[in-house]
Coordinates of all heavy atoms in Angstrom, one line a residue:
H1 N 102.5 74.4 110.9 CA 102.9 73.6 109.7 C 104.1 74.2 109.1 O 104.3 75.4 109.0 CB 101.7 73.6 108.8 CG 101.9 72.5 107.7 ND1 102.6 72.7 106.6 CD2 101.4 71.3 107.7 CE1 102.6 71.6 105.9 NE2 101.8 70.7 106.6
K2 N 105.0 73.3 108.6 CA 106.3 73.8 108.0 C 106.1 74.7 106.8 O 106.9 75.6 106.6 CB 107.1 72.6 107.5 CG 107.6 71.7 108.6 CD 108.3 70.5 108.1 CE 108.7 69.6 109.2 NZ 109.3 68.3 108.7
K3 N 105.0 74.6 106.1 CA 104.8 75.4 104.9 C 104.4 76.8 105.3 O 104.4 77.7 104.5 CB 103.7 74.8 104.0 CG 104.2 73.6 103.3 CD 103.2 73.1 102.3 CE 103.7 71.8 101.6 NZ 102.8 71.3 100.6
L4 N 104.0 77.0 106.6 CA 103.7 78.4 107.1 C 104.8 78.9 108.0 O 104.5 79.9 108.7 CB 102.3 78.3 107.9 CG 101.1 78.0 107.1 CD1 99.9 77.9 108.0 CD2 100.9 78.9 105.9
S5 N 105.9 78.3 107.9 CA 107.0 78.8 108.7 C 107.3 80.3 108.5 O 107.4 80.8 107.4 CB 108.3 78.0 108.4 OG 109.4 78.5 109.1
G6 N 107.3 81.0 109.6 CA 107.6 82.4 109.6 C 106.3 83.2 109.4 O 106.3 84.4 109.5
M7 N 105.2 82.6 109.1 CA 103.9 83.3 108.9 C 103.0 83.2 110.1 O 102.0 83.8 110.2 CB 103.2 82.8 107.7 CG 104.0 83.0 106.4 SD 103.1 82.3 105.0 CE 101.7 83.4 104.8
N8 N 103.3 82.2 111.0 CA 102.4 81.9 112.1 C 102.6 82.8 113.3 O 103.7 82.7 113.9 CB 102.5 80.4 112.4 CG 101.5 79.9 113.4 OD1 100.8 80.7 114.0 ND2 101.6 78.6 113.7
P9 N 101.7 83.6 113.7 CA 101.9 84.4 114.9 C 101.7 83.7 116.2 O 102.0 84.2 117.3 CB 100.8 85.5 114.8 CG 99.7 84.8 114.0 CD 100.4 83.9 113.1
F10 N 101.3 82.4 116.2 CA 101.1 81.6 117.4 C 102.0 80.4 117.3 O 102.2 79.7 116.3 CB 99.7 81.1 117.5 CG 98.7 82.2 117.5 CD1 97.9 82.5 116.4 CD2 98.6 83.1 118.6 CE1 97.0 83.5 116.4 CE2 97.7 84.2 118.6 CZ 96.9 84.4 117.5
N11 N 102.6 80.0 118.5 CA 103.4 78.8 118.6 C 102.5 77.5 118.7 O 102.9 76.5 118.1 CB 104.4 78.8 119.7 CG 105.4 79.9 119.5 OD1 105.9 80.1 118.4 ND2 105.9 80.5 120.6
S12 N 101.4 77.6 119.4 CA 100.5 76.5 119.5 C 99.2 77.0 120.0 O 99.0 78.1 120.5 CB 101.1 75.5 120.5 OG 101.2 76.1 121.8
L13 N 98.2 76.1 119.9 CA 96.9 76.3 120.5 C 96.5 75.2 121.4 O 97.0 74.1 121.3 CB 95.8 76.3 119.3 CG 95.9 77.5 118.3 CD1 94.9 77.2 117.2 CD2 95.5 78.8 119.0
P14 N 95.7 75.5 122.4 CA 95.3 74.4 123.3 C 94.5 73.4 122.5 O 93.8 73.7 121.5 CB 94.4 75.2 124.3 CG 94.7 76.6 124.2 CD 95.2 76.8 122.8
S15 N 94.5 72.2 123.0 CA 93.9 71.1 122.2 C 92.4 71.3 122.1 O 91.7 70.8 121.2 CB 94.2 69.7 122.9 OG 93.7 69.7 124.2
E16 N 91.8 72.0 123.1 CA 90.3 72.2 123.0 C 89.9 73.4 122.2 O 88.8 73.7 122.0 CB 89.8 72.3 124.5 CG 90.3 73.5 125.2 CD 91.6 73.4 125.9 OE1 92.3 72.3 125.8 OE2 92.0 74.3 126.6
A17 N 90.9 74.1 121.7 CA 90.6 75.3 120.9 C 90.0 75.0 119.6 O 90.3 74.0 118.9 CB 91.9 76.1 120.6
S18 N 89.0 75.8 119.2 CA 88.4 75.7 117.9 C 88.3 77.0 117.2 O 87.4 77.8 117.3 CB 86.9 75.1 118.0 OG 86.3 75.0 116.8
P19 N 89.4 77.4 116.5 CA 89.6 78.8 116.0 C 88.6 79.1 114.9 O 88.2 78.3 114.1 CB 91.0 78.8 115.5 CG 91.4 77.4 115.2 CD 90.6 76.5 116.2
L20 N 88.2 80.4 114.9 CA 87.4 80.9 113.9 C 88.1 80.9 112.5 O 87.5 80.6 111.5 CB 87.0 82.4 114.2 CG 86.3 83.2 113.1 CD1 84.9 82.6 112.9 CD2 86.2 84.6 113.5
G21 N 89.4 81.1 112.5 CA 90.2 81.1 111.3 C 91.6 80.9 111.8 O 92.0 80.8 112.9
Y22 N 92.5 80.7 110.8 CA 93.9 80.5 111.1 C 94.7 81.8 110.6 O 94.8 82.0 109.4 CB 94.4 79.3 110.3 CG 95.8 78.9 110.8 CD1 96.0 78.0 111.8 CD2 96.9 79.4 110.1 CE1 97.2 77.6 112.2 CE2 98.2 79.0 110.5 CZ 98.3 78.1 111.6 OH 99.6 77.7 112.0
P23 N 95.1 82.6 111.5 CA 95.7 83.9 111.1 C 97.2 83.7 110.7 O 97.9 82.9 111.3 CB 95.7 84.7 112.4 CG 95.7 83.7 113.5 CD 95.0 82.5 113.0
V24 N 97.6 84.3 109.6 CA 99.0 84.3 109.2 C 99.4 85.7 108.9 O 98.6 86.6 108.6 CB 99.2 83.5 107.9 CG1 98.9 82.0 108.1 CG2 98.3 84.0 106.7
L25 N 100.7 85.9 109.1 CA 101.3 87.3 108.9 C 102.0 87.2 107.6 O 102.8 86.3 107.3 CB 102.3 87.6 110.0 CG 101.6 87.8 111.4 CD1 102.6 87.9 112.5 CD2 100.7 89.0 111.4
T26 N 101.8 88.2 106.7 CA 102.5 88.3 105.4 C 102.7 89.7 105.0 O 101.9 90.6 105.3 CB 101.6 87.5 104.3 OG1 102.3 87.7 103.1 CG2 100.2 88.1 104.3
E27 N 103.9 89.9 104.4 CA 104.2 91.3 104.0 C 103.4 91.7 102.8 O 103.2 92.9 102.5 CB 105.7 91.3 103.6 CG 106.7 91.3 104.8 CD 106.6 92.5 105.7 OE1 106.3 93.6 105.2 OE2 106.7 92.3 106.9
K28 N 102.9 90.7 102.0 CA 102.1 91.0 100.8 C 100.7 90.5 100.9 O 100.3 89.6 100.2 CB 102.9 90.5 99.6 CG 104.2 91.1 99.4 CD 105.0 90.6 98.2 CE 106.3 91.2 98.1 NZ 107.1 90.7 97.0
R29 N 100.0 91.0 101.9 CA 98.7 90.4 102.2 C 97.7 90.4 101.0 O 97.1 89.4 100.6 CB 98.0 91.1 103.3 CG 96.7 90.5 103.7 CD 96.0 91.2 104.8 NE 95.6 92.6 104.4 CZ 95.3 93.5 105.3 NH1 95.3 93.2 106.6 NH2 95.0 94.7 104.9
E30 N 97.6 91.6 100.3 CA 96.7 91.7 99.2 C 97.0 90.7 98.1 O 96.1 90.1 97.5 CB 96.6 93.1 98.7 CG 95.9 94.1 99.6 CD 96.8 94.5 100.8 OE1 98.0 94.3 100.8 OE2 96.2 95.0 101.8
A31 N 98.3 90.6 97.8 CA 98.7 89.7 96.7 C 98.4 88.2 97.1 O 97.9 87.5 96.3 CB 100.2 89.8 96.4
L32 N 98.7 87.9 98.3 CA 98.4 86.5 98.8 C 96.9 86.3 98.8 O 96.4 85.2 98.3 CB 99.0 86.2 100.2 CG 98.7 84.9 100.8 CD1 99.2 83.7 99.9 CD2 99.3 84.8 102.2
Q33 N 96.1 87.2 99.3 CA 94.7 87.1 99.3 C 94.1 86.9 97.9 O 93.3 86.0 97.6 CB 94.0 88.3 100.0 CG 92.5 88.1 100.1 CD 91.9 89.2 100.9 OE1 92.4 90.4 100.8 NE2 90.9 89.0 101.7
Q34 N 94.6 87.6 96.9 CA 94.2 87.5 95.5 C 94.6 86.2 94.9 O 93.8 85.5 94.2 CB 94.7 88.6 94.7 CG 94.1 88.6 93.3 CD 92.6 88.8 93.2 OE1 92.1 89.7 93.8 NE2 91.9 87.8 92.6
K35 N 95.8 85.7 95.2 CA 96.3 84.4 94.7 C 95.4 83.3 95.2 O 95.0 82.4 94.5 CB 97.8 84.2 95.2 CG 98.3 82.9 94.8 CD 99.8 82.7 95.4 CE 100.3 81.4 95.1 NZ 101.7 81.2 95.6
L36 N 95.1 83.3 96.5 CA 94.3 82.3 97.1 C 92.8 82.4 96.5 O 92.3 81.3 96.2 CB 94.2 82.4 98.6 CG 95.5 82.0 99.3 CD1 95.5 82.4 100.8 CD2 95.9 80.6 99.1
L37 N 92.3 83.6 96.3 CA 91.0 83.7 95.7 C 91.0 83.1 94.3 O 90.0 82.5 93.9 CB 90.6 85.2 95.7 CG 89.1 85.5 95.3 CD1 88.1 84.7 96.1 CD2 88.9 87.0 95.3
D38 N 92.0 83.4 93.6 CA 92.1 82.9 92.2 C 92.1 81.3 92.2 O 91.7 80.7 91.2 CB 93.4 83.4 91.5 CG 93.4 84.8 91.2 OD1 92.3 85.5 91.3 OD2 94.5 85.4 90.9
E39 N 92.6 80.7 93.3 CA 92.6 79.3 93.4 C 91.4 78.7 94.1 O 91.3 77.6 94.4 CB 93.9 78.9 94.2 CG 95.2 79.2 93.5 CD 95.4 78.4 92.2 OE1 94.8 77.3 92.1 OE2 96.2 78.9 91.4
G40 N 90.4 79.6 94.4 CA 89.1 79.2 95.0 C 89.1 79.2 96.5 O 88.2 78.6 97.1
V41 N 90.1 79.8 97.1 CA 90.2 79.8 98.6 C 89.8 81.2 99.1 O 90.5 82.2 98.8 CB 91.6 79.5 99.1 CG1 91.7 79.5 100.6 CG2 92.1 78.1 98.5
E42 N 88.7 81.3 99.9 CA 88.3 82.6 100.4 C 89.0 82.8 101.8 O 89.2 81.9 102.6 CB 86.8 82.5 100.6 CG 86.0 82.5 99.3 CD 84.5 82.7 99.6 OE1 84.1 83.2 100.6 OE2 83.8 82.2 98.7
T43 N 89.5 84.0 101.9 CA 90.2 84.4 103.2 C 89.5 85.6 103.7 O 88.7 86.2 103.0 CB 91.7 84.7 102.9 OG1 91.7 85.8 101.9 CG2 92.4 83.5 102.3
L44 N 89.9 86.0 104.9 CA 89.3 87.2 105.5 C 90.4 88.1 106.0 O 91.4 87.7 106.4 CB 88.4 86.8 106.7 CG 87.2 86.0 106.4 CD1 86.5 85.5 107.7 CD2 86.2 86.8 105.6
V45 N 90.0 89.4 106.0 CA 90.9 90.4 106.7 C 90.1 90.9 107.9 O 89.0 91.5 107.7 CB 91.2 91.6 105.7 CG1 91.9 92.7 106.5 CG2 92.0 91.1 104.6
H46 N 90.6 90.7 109.1 CA 89.9 91.1 110.3 C 90.6 92.4 110.8 O 91.8 92.6 110.6 CB 90.0 90.0 111.4 CG 89.2 88.9 111.1 ND1 89.6 87.7 110.5 CD2 87.9 88.7 111.4 CE1 88.7 86.8 110.4 NE2 87.6 87.4 110.9
W47 N 89.8 93.2 111.4 CA 90.2 94.4 112.0 C 91.1 95.3 111.1 O 92.2 95.6 111.4 CB 90.9 94.1 113.3 CG 90.2 93.2 114.1 CD1 89.0 93.4 114.8 CD2 90.4 91.8 114.3 NE1 88.6 92.3 115.4 CE2 89.4 91.3 115.2 CE3 91.4 90.9 113.9 CZ2 89.4 89.9 115.5 CZ3 91.4 89.6 114.3 CH2 90.4 89.1 115.1
P48 N 90.5 95.8 110.0 CA 91.3 96.7 109.2 C 91.7 98.0 109.9 O 90.9 98.4 110.7 CB 90.4 96.9 108.0 CG 89.0 96.6 108.4 CD 89.2 95.5 109.5
G49 N 92.8 98.5 109.6 CA 93.3 99.7 110.3 C 92.4 100.9 110.2 O 92.4 101.7 111.1
Y50 N 91.6 101.0 109.2 CA 90.8 102.2 109.0 C 89.7 102.2 110.1 O 89.0 103.2 110.2 CB 90.2 102.3 107.6 CG 89.2 101.2 107.3 CD1 87.9 101.2 107.7 CD2 89.6 100.1 106.5 CE1 87.0 100.2 107.4 CE2 88.7 99.1 106.2 CZ 87.4 99.1 106.7 OH 86.6 98.1 106.3
L51 N 89.5 101.2 110.9 CA 88.5 101.2 111.9 C 89.0 102.1 113.1 O 88.1 102.6 113.9 CB 88.3 99.8 112.5 CG 87.6 98.8 111.5 CD1 87.4 97.5 112.2 CD2 86.2 99.4 111.1
L52 N 90.3 102.4 113.2 CA 90.7 103.3 114.2 C 90.6 104.8 113.7 O 90.9 105.0 112.5 CB 92.2 103.1 114.5 CG 92.6 101.9 115.3 CD1 94.1 101.7 115.4 CD2 92.0 102.0 116.7
P53 N 90.0 105.6 114.5 CA 89.9 107.0 114.0 C 91.3 107.6 113.7 O 92.3 107.3 114.3 CB 89.3 107.7 115.2 CG 88.7 106.7 116.1 CD 89.5 105.4 115.8
E54 N 91.3 108.4 112.6 CA 92.6 108.9 112.1 C 93.4 109.6 113.2 O 94.6 109.5 113.3 CB 92.3 109.9 111.0 CG 93.6 110.3 110.2 CD 94.3 109.2 109.5 OE1 93.6 108.3 108.9 OE2 95.5 109.2 109.5
E55 N 92.7 110.3 114.1 CA 93.4 111.1 115.1 C 94.1 110.3 116.2 O 95.0 110.8 116.9 CB 92.5 112.1 115.8 CG 91.3 111.5 116.5 CD 90.1 111.3 115.6 OE1 90.2 111.5 114.4 OE2 89.0 111.0 116.2
V56 N 93.8 109.0 116.2 CA 94.5 108.1 117.2 C 95.4 107.0 116.6 O 96.1 106.3 117.3 CB 93.5 107.5 118.2 CG1 92.8 108.5 119.0 CG2 92.6 106.5 117.5
R57 N 95.4 106.9 115.3 CA 96.1 105.9 114.6 C 97.6 105.9 115.0 O 98.2 104.8 115.2 CB 96.0 106.0 113.1 CG 94.6 105.6 112.6 CD 94.5 105.8 111.0 NE 95.5 105.0 110.3 CZ 95.3 103.9 109.7 NH1 94.2 103.3 109.9 NH2 96.3 103.3 109.1
S58 N 98.2 107.0 115.1 CA 99.7 107.0 115.3 C 100.0 106.6 116.8 O 101.1 106.2 117.1 CB 100.2 108.5 115.1 OG 99.6 109.4 116.0
S59 N 99.0 106.5 117.6 CA 99.2 106.0 119.0 C 99.2 104.5 119.1 O 99.6 103.9 120.1 CB 98.1 106.5 119.9 OG 98.1 107.9 119.9
F60 N 98.9 103.8 118.0 CA 98.8 102.4 118.0 C 99.5 101.7 116.8 O 98.9 101.1 116.0 CB 97.3 101.9 118.0 CG 96.6 102.4 119.2 CD1 95.8 103.6 119.1 CD2 96.6 101.8 120.4 CE1 95.1 104.1 120.2 CE2 95.9 102.2 121.5 CZ 95.1 103.4 121.4
P61 N 100.8 102.0 116.7 CA 101.6 101.5 115.5 C 101.6 99.9 115.4 O 101.5 99.4 114.3 CB 103.0 102.0 115.7 CG 103.1 102.2 117.2 CD 101.7 102.6 117.6
D62 N 101.6 99.2 116.5 CA 101.6 97.8 116.4 C 100.2 97.3 115.9 O 100.2 96.3 115.1 CB 101.9 97.1 117.7 CG 103.3 97.4 118.2 OD1 104.2 97.6 117.3 OD2 103.6 97.3 119.4
A63 N 99.2 97.9 116.3 CA 97.8 97.5 115.9 C 97.7 97.8 114.4 O 97.1 97.0 113.7 CB 96.8 98.2 116.7
I64 N 98.2 98.9 114.0 CA 98.1 99.3 112.5 C 98.9 98.3 111.7 O 98.5 97.8 110.7 CB 98.6 100.7 112.3 CG1 97.7 101.7 113.0 CG2 98.7 101.0 110.8 CD1 96.3 101.7 112.6
W65 N 100.1 97.9 112.2 CA 101.0 97.0 111.5 C 100.2 95.6 111.3 O 100.2 95.0 110.3 CB 102.3 96.8 112.2 CG 103.3 95.9 111.4 CD1 104.1 96.4 110.4 CD2 103.4 94.5 111.4 NE1 104.8 95.3 109.9 CE2 104.3 94.1 110.4 CE3 102.8 93.5 112.1 CZ2 104.7 92.8 110.2 CZ3 103.1 92.2 111.9 CH2 104.1 91.9 111.0
L66 N 99.7 95.1 112.4 CA 98.9 93.9 112.4 C 97.7 94.0 111.4 O 97.5 93.1 110.7 CB 98.4 93.5 113.8 CG 99.5 92.8 114.7 CD1 98.9 92.6 116.1 CD2 99.9 91.5 114.1
S67 N 97.0 95.1 111.5 CA 95.9 95.2 110.6 C 96.3 95.2 109.1 O 95.4 94.9 108.3 CB 95.1 96.5 111.0 OG 95.8 97.7 110.5
E68 N 97.5 95.6 108.8 CA 97.9 95.6 107.4 C 98.6 94.3 107.0 O 98.9 94.1 105.8 CB 98.9 96.8 107.2 CG 98.2 98.1 107.4 CD 99.2 99.3 107.5 OE1 100.4 99.0 107.6 OE2 98.7 100.4 107.4
H69 N 98.9 93.4 107.9 CA 99.7 92.2 107.6 C 99.0 90.9 107.9 O 99.5 89.8 107.6 CB 101.1 92.3 108.2 CG 101.9 93.4 107.7 ND1 101.9 94.6 108.2 CD2 102.8 93.4 106.7 CE1 102.7 95.4 107.5 NE2 103.3 94.7 106.6
L70 N 97.9 90.9 108.6 CA 97.2 89.7 109.1 C 96.2 89.3 108.1 O 95.4 90.1 107.6 CB 96.6 90.0 110.4 CG 96.0 88.8 111.2 CD1 97.2 87.9 111.7 CD2 95.2 89.3 112.4
L71 N 96.2 88.0 107.7 CA 95.3 87.4 106.8 C 94.8 86.2 107.5 O 95.5 85.4 108.0 CB 95.9 87.1 105.4 CG 95.0 86.5 104.4 CD1 93.9 87.5 104.0 CD2 95.8 86.0 103.2
T72 N 93.5 85.9 107.5 CA 92.9 84.8 108.1 C 92.5 83.7 107.1 O 91.7 84.0 106.2 CB 91.6 85.2 108.9 OG1 92.0 86.2 109.8 CG2 91.1 84.0 109.7
L73 N 93.1 82.5 107.3 CA 92.8 81.4 106.4 C 91.6 80.6 106.9 O 91.4 80.7 108.1 CB 94.0 80.5 106.3 CG 95.3 81.1 105.9 CD1 96.4 80.0 105.9 CD2 95.2 81.7 104.5
P74 N 90.9 80.0 106.1 CA 89.7 79.2 106.5 C 90.1 78.0 107.4 O 91.1 77.3 107.1 CB 89.0 78.8 105.3 CG 90.1 78.8 104.2 CD 91.1 79.8 104.6
T75 N 89.3 77.7 108.4 CA 89.6 76.5 109.3 C 88.2 75.9 109.7 O 88.2 75.2 110.7 CB 90.4 76.8 110.5 OG1 89.7 77.9 111.3 CG2 91.8 77.3 110.2
H76 N 87.2 76.2 109.1 CA 85.8 75.8 109.5 C 85.7 74.3 109.4 O 86.5 73.6 108.8 CB 84.7 76.5 108.7 CG 84.8 76.4 107.3 ND1 84.4 75.2 106.6 CD2 85.3 77.2 106.3 CE1 84.6 75.4 105.3 NE2 85.2 76.6 105.1
D77 N 84.6 73.8 110.0 CA 84.4 72.3 110.2 C 84.0 71.6 108.9 O 83.9 70.4 108.9 CB 83.4 72.1 111.3 CG 82.0 72.7 110.9 OD1 81.9 73.4 109.9 OD2 81.0 72.4 111.7
Q78 N 83.8 72.3 107.8 CA 83.5 71.7 106.5 C 84.8 71.3 105.7 O 84.7 70.7 104.7 CB 82.6 72.6 105.7 CG 81.3 72.9 106.3 CD 80.5 71.7 106.5 OE1 80.3 70.9 105.5 NE2 79.9 71.4 107.6
L79 N 85.9 71.7 106.3 CA 87.2 71.4 105.6 C 87.7 70.1 106.1 O 87.7 69.8 107.3 CB 88.2 72.5 105.9 CG 87.9 73.9 105.4 CD1 89.0 74.9 105.8 CD2 87.8 73.9 103.9
D80 N 88.2 69.3 105.2 CA 88.9 68.1 105.6 C 90.4 68.2 105.4 O 90.9 69.3 104.9 CB 88.4 66.8 104.9 CG 88.5 66.9 103.4 OD1 89.4 67.6 102.9 OD2 87.8 66.2 102.7
E81 N 91.2 67.2 105.7 CA 92.6 67.3 105.5 C 93.1 67.7 104.1 O 94.0 68.5 103.9 CB 93.3 66.0 106.0 CG 94.8 66.1 106.0 CD 95.5 64.9 106.6 OE1 94.8 64.1 107.3 OE2 96.7 64.7 106.3
S82 N 92.4 67.1 103.1 CA 92.8 67.4 101.7 C 92.6 68.9 101.4 O 93.3 69.5 100.7 CB 92.1 66.5 100.7 OG 90.7 66.8 100.7
D83 N 91.5 69.5 102.0 CA 91.3 70.9 101.7 C 92.4 71.8 102.4 O 92.8 72.7 101.8 CB 89.9 71.3 102.4 CG 88.7 70.6 101.7 OD1 88.7 70.5 100.5 OD2 87.8 70.3 102.4
I84 N 92.8 71.4 103.6 CA 93.8 72.2 104.3 C 95.1 72.0 103.5 O 95.8 73.0 103.3 CB 93.9 71.7 105.7 CG1 92.6 72.1 106.5 CG2 95.1 72.3 106.4 CD1 92.4 71.4 107.8
R85 N 95.4 70.8 103.0 CA 96.7 70.7 102.3 C 96.6 71.5 101.0 O 97.6 72.0 100.5 CB 96.9 69.2 102.0 CG 97.3 68.4 103.2 CD 97.8 67.0 102.8 NE 98.0 66.2 104.0 CZ 99.1 66.4 104.8 NH1 100.0 67.2 104.5 NH2 99.2 65.6 105.8
Y86 N 95.4 71.6 100.4 CA 95.3 72.4 99.2 C 95.6 73.8 99.4 O 96.3 74.5 98.7 CB 93.9 72.3 98.6 CG 93.6 73.1 97.4 CD1 94.1 72.8 96.2 CD2 92.9 74.3 97.5 CE1 93.9 73.6 95.0 CE2 92.7 75.1 96.4 CZ 93.2 74.7 95.2 OH 93.0 75.5 94.1
V87 N 95.1 74.4 100.6 CA 95.4 75.8 100.9 C 96.9 75.9 101.1 O 97.5 76.9 100.6 CB 94.6 76.2 102.2 CG1 95.1 77.6 102.7 CG2 93.1 76.2 101.9
L88 N 97.5 75.0 101.9 CA 99.0 75.1 102.1 C 99.7 75.0 100.8 O 100.7 75.8 100.6 CB 99.4 74.0 103.0 CG 98.9 74.1 104.5 CD1 99.2 72.8 105.2 CD2 99.5 75.3 105.1
D89 N 99.3 74.2 99.9 CA 100.0 74.1 98.6 C 99.8 75.4 97.8 O 100.8 75.8 97.1 CB 99.5 72.9 97.8 CG 99.9 71.5 98.3 OD1 100.8 71.5 99.2 OD2 99.3 70.5 98.0
C90 N 98.7 76.0 97.8 CA 98.5 77.2 97.1 C 99.4 78.3 97.7 O 99.9 79.1 96.9 CB 97.0 77.7 97.3 SG 95.8 76.7 96.3
I91 N 99.6 78.3 99.0 CA 100.4 79.4 99.6 C 101.9 79.1 99.2 O 102.6 80.1 98.9 CB 100.3 79.3 101.2 CG1 98.9 79.9 101.5 CG2 101.4 80.1 101.8 CD1 98.6 79.7 103.0
S92 N 102.3 77.9 99.2 CA 103.7 77.6 99.0 C 104.1 77.5 97.5 O 105.3 77.5 97.2 CB 104.1 76.3 99.7 OG 103.4 75.2 99.2
S93 N 103.1 77.6 96.6 CA 103.5 77.5 95.2 C 103.8 78.8 94.6 O 103.5 79.9 95.1 CB 102.3 76.9 94.4 OG 101.2 77.7 94.4

């Protein structure tokens, strides 16, 4: 979606895909997560970096970066188009 330009780590999904969530990349994950929560939108942080033992963290810099910048937006089957537009509007406002 145009409102997520630059935040989407995927170019496309297969038509039969039913994602658990919609991952976005953001430099200010905690601020965006709080902003969305304030607007009533629950998000998830998957695979936080602290799950890697400290002694091996430096061996996986890309994984650490993703764990610090990835935020998962809701995409479950209870959302309709107006709900999705609301989330997009909250992000772009």
Side-chain angles (χ1 to χ4, degrees):
H1 194 278
K2 290 177 187 175
K3 290 186 179 183
L4 294 178
S5 178
M7 296 177 74
N8 186 355
F10 304 108
N11 291 327
S12 65
L13 290 173
S15 61
E16 65 276 5
S18 180
L20 170 66
Y22 191 89
V24 294
L25 295 170
T26 176
E27 290 294 326
K28 299 179 180 178
R29 182 182 64 196
E30 288 77 17
L32 178 58
Q33 187 175 33
Q34 187 60 55
K35 175 182 177 181
L36 291 171
L37 185 59
D38 291 347
E39 297 293 336
V41 178
E42 292 185 25
T43 60
L44 294 172
V45 172
H46 287 97
W47 311 289
Y50 65 81
L51 292 177
L52 286 172
E54 191 64 39
E55 60 272 10
V56 299
R57 285 177 60 96
S58 63
S59 300
F60 301 96
D62 292 338
I64 298 301
W65 187 89
L66 280 172
S67 76
E68 294 171 348
H69 294 86
L70 191 67
L71 183 65
T72 305
L73 303 178
T75 58
H76 56 78
D77 61 353
Q78 297 297 311
L79 298 177
D80 60 24
E81 186 174 339
S82 66
D83 296 320
I84 293 167
R85 290 191 185 282
Y86 177 74
V87 173
L88 293 171
D89 289 344
C90 289
I91 290 171
S92 62
S93 67

